[in-house]
């Protein structure tokens, strides 16, 4: 047993629950979830109790502007199996999840959203599947996206398929951040330092035995999505640039295409010069100019996108800042 990090941890009523690593950790990132958090916790605690395993629930307040933090603190005071940490600002879903994973002590770790879109009751069948298949990862695969508009469904469907096509890593389609991980997988994930985090890609990259668990994704129980369109696009850019060099290769493809066109035009110019036909009209010239100009800008933009990410990456900043914790613990180290 390591020395307690916080006086609260030596309290007799807390000792047994806090000092031993639980069988199961449940990591829940929350942005402005005050409205629905109690309902979520009630269902999640019931689902975790049904497994008969010892468990902890790690709540991460990702810079909420509503009363999420005080709801978390009251919940932690009422149930010692709950822990909470508050990030100093909004760091985004993927980093909030990373913060929770770094703190999780369980032998298995469930990642789940706080908005009840992912059913807490799936925990038992997911654990059964993990045991039965000896899997490192059991990932939730969405069968239906109830309550999401056609635009979100269509764009998500297209995105997952384009990403699979572009990426060298086999990232399963229609999966989100609802998954059960073994402690070893969590430790490996914690050891991945990248700034632009696309966790479902990172988990896929790790390899090992990964098994799908099909489920129906429910509509949000309360509150609003933390992923408006602009953020979704940023997320997609992280995914594609993080897991594929294909866009950079596209520049080469476009260069090849424009060289081909230019050669064709050269033949035309030479032939018309020899035959004495006057080259008429500036329209064709303008079109050619615009075409090459936009190809160049596109390539420059793509290179810039990767260069910018390289720049941010080399700063090696911490991924998040923890401002407050309900009862701090030692962060588990990677093996
Ligand atoms: N979330 C977060 N930080 C953010 C955005 C979202 O911690 O910047 C949390 C949010 O509270 C929820 C989960 O991440 O528990 C998934 O977010 P959301 O439901 O908004 O995404 P969607 O399901 O609409 O894709
Ligand atoms: Mg959601």
């Amino acid at each position: 047993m390591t020395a307690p990090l916080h006086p609260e941890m030596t309290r007799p009523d807390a000792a047994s629950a806090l000092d031993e690593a639980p069988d199961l950790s449940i990591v829940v990132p929350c942005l402005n979830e005050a409205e629905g958090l109690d309902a979520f916790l009630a269902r999640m605690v019931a689902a975790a109790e049904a497994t008969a395993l010892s468990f902890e629930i790690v709540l991460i307040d990702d810079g909420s502007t509503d009363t999420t933090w005080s709801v978390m603190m009251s919940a932690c005071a009422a149930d010692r199996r709950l822990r909470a940490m508050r990030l100093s600002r909004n760091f985004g879903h993927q980093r909030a999840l990373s913060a929770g994973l770094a703190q999780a002590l369980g032998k298995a770790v469930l990642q789940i959203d706080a908005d009840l879109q992912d059913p807490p009751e799936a925990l038992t069948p997911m654990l059964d599947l993990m045991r039965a298949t000896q899997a490192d990862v059991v990932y939730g695969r969405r069968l239906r996206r109830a309550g999401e508009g056609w635009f979100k469904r269509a764009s998500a469907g297209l995105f997952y398929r384009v990403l699979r096509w572009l990426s060298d890593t086999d990232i399963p389609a229609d999966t989100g951040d609802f998954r059960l991980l073994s402690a070893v997988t969590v430790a490996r994930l914690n050891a991945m330092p990248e700034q632009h985090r696309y966790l479902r890609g990172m988990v896929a990259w790790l390899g090992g035995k990964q098994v799908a668990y099909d489920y129906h994704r429910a509509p949000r129980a309360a509150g609003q999505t933390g992923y408006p369109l602009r953020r979704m696009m940023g997320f997609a850019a992280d995914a594609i640039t993080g897991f594929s060099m294909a866009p950079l290769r596209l520049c080469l493809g476009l260069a090849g295409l424009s060289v081909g066109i230019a050669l064709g035009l050269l033949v035309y110019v030479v032939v018309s010069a020899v035959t004495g036909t006057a080259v008429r009209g500036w329209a064709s010239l303008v079109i050619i100019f615009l075409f090459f100009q936009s190809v160049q800008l596109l390539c420059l933009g793509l290179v810039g996108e990767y260069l910018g990410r390289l720049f941010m990456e080399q700063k090696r900043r911490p991924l998040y800042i923890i401002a407050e914790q309900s009862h701090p613990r030692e962060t588990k180290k990677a093996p």
Side-chain angles (χ1 to χ4, degrees):
M1 197 179 81
T2 47
L5 291 168
H6 190 272
E8 254 196 327
M9 288 180 70
T10 60
R11 270 173 32 190
D13 64 318
S16 63
L18 287 179
D19 290 345
E20 273 168 38
D23 293 323
L24 184 68
S25 297
I26 296 158
V27 173
V28 194
C30 301
L31 173 67
N32 299 331
E33 301 283 6
E35 206 183 324
L37 194 57
D38 282 332
F40 165 78
L41 285 172
R43 265 176 72 183
M44 193 67 248
V45 167
E49 280 173 346
T51 64
L53 298 171
S54 62
F55 67 91
E56 60 170 0
I57 298 183
V58 183
L59 301 165
I60 306 100
D61 177 4
D62 185 19
S64 296
T65 49
D66 66 357
T67 55
T68 297
W69 181 243
S70 55
V71 174
M72 281 182 184
M73 291 308 280
S74 325
C76 289
D79 187 339
R80 303 291 299 171
R81 294 168 298 186
L82 270 55
R83 290 196 279 145
M85 66 178 121
R86 187 173 67 78
L87 303 187
S88 61
R89 63 173 173 83
N90 178 245
F91 280 88
H93 180 205
Q94 302 292 297
R95 288 186 184 213
L97 258 177
S98 303
L101 289 177
Q103 295 276 323
L105 298 172
K107 298 182 192 90
V109 180
L110 179 77
Q111 302 171 201
I112 185 168
D113 290 354
D115 57 4
L116 287 173
Q117 283 198 278
D118 310 323
E121 295 74 24
L123 175 60
T124 299
M126 286 169 95
L127 277 166
D128 290 345
L129 193 59
M130 180 172 256
R131 280 194 206 102
T133 56
Q134 295 285 301
D136 299 295
V137 178
V138 173
Y139 58 89
R141 186 167 56 193
R142 301 155 176 187
L143 287 174
R144 188 168 38 115
R145 295 166 151 252
E148 286 177 356
W150 68 269
F151 180 75
K152 175 131 188 182
R153 266 180 313 190
S155 56
L158 180 71
F159 163 71
Y160 287 129
R161 274 144 198 93
V162 169
L163 181 62
R164 273 179 72 79
W165 177 61
L166 288 179
S167 169
D168 302 329
T169 308
D170 193 12
I171 304 171
D174 300 320
T175 64
D177 283 302
F178 180 40
R179 66 175 79 80
L180 186 66
L181 306 162
S182 67
V184 177
T185 310
V186 172
R188 289 175 182 156
L189 208 52
N190 290 341
M192 290 170 87
E194 53 242 67
Q195 296 279 328
H196 296 94
R197 296 179 90 72
Y198 181 63
L199 281 167
R200 45 200 98 157
M202 290 163 66
V203 170
W205 183 89
L206 283 172
K209 184 150 193 184
Q210 310 211 357
V211 183
Y213 170 78
D214 290 322
Y215 74 108
H216 292 287
R217 192 155 154 89
R220 217 170 210 288
Q224 293 208 332
T225 174
Y227 274 107
L229 183 63
R230 191 176 53 83
R231 270 198 128 157
M232 283 301 292
M233 286 169 68
F235 191 52
D238 280 353
I240 290 172
T241 54
F243 285 89
S244 173
M245 299 290 262
L248 285 177
R249 291 190 195 121
L250 176 76
C251 297
L252 273 182
L254 286 174
L257 181 74
S258 60
V259 167
I261 294 174
L263 283 176
L265 284 173
L266 192 70
V267 172
Y268 171 71
V269 168
V270 170
V271 169
S272 51
V274 169
T275 55
T277 339
V279 182
R280 275 180 293 122
W282 58 271
S284 50
L285 272 177
V286 169
I287 289 167
I288 291 161
F289 172 77
L290 286 177
F291 175 74
F292 285 112
Q293 196 65 16
S294 37
V295 166
Q296 275 179 20
L297 283 176
L298 176 72
C299 293
L300 213 60
L302 286 177
V303 174
E305 189 73 18
Y306 281 87
L307 196 68
R309 273 148 206 276
L310 200 66
F311 172 68
M312 294 310 288
E313 207 67 57
Q314 64 80 35
K315 287 179 192 280
R316 303 197 147 271
R317 287 183 184 157
L319 294 174
Y320 48 82
I321 302 292
I322 299 176
E324 255 182 283
Q325 293 192 67
S326 58
H327 25 267
R329 279 175 151 176
E330 258 182 350
T331 301
K332 203 163 51 164
K333 298 277 184 303

